[in-house]
Amino acid sequence: MKRLEEHLKLKYYYHDQITKYLTDAGFSIEEEYGWYDKSDITSGRELIFVCKRI
């Protein structure tokens, strides 16, 4: 039997880390959501940001 392995790198970020990285990269955060239905960021499962390059 042939064995196939894939090394997957996965990184999780906290809200304050993401906002710092985005602003340091020259973006302004226009909106924040916690899920694709535009739910509040504090109650969602994801961190979704709508940004604009400044």
Side-chain angles (χ1 to χ4, degrees):
M1 176 183 281
K2 184 177 179 181
R3 183 176 176 159
L4 176 64
E5 289 185 29
E6 183 70 31
H7 297 281
L8 175 67
K9 292 183 180 183
L10 183 62
K11 172 79 171 134
Y12 290 97
Y13 293 94
Y14 293 102
H15 181 269
D16 58 333
Q17 291 175 305
I18 290 287
T19 55
K20 181 179 180 342
Y21 293 148
L22 288 169
T23 56
D24 286 352
F27 290 94
S28 66
I29 299 170
E30 304 293 310
E31 299 173 52
E32 301 179 349
Y33 301 114
W35 192 243
Y36 299 98
D37 63 359
K38 297 184 178 181
S39 61
D40 185 66
I41 197 160
T42 59
S43 62
R45 299 180 292 183
E46 300 288 334
L47 297 174
I48 300 171
F49 296 92
V50 178
C51 302
K52 183 168 99 174
R53 184 83 172 167
I54 51 174

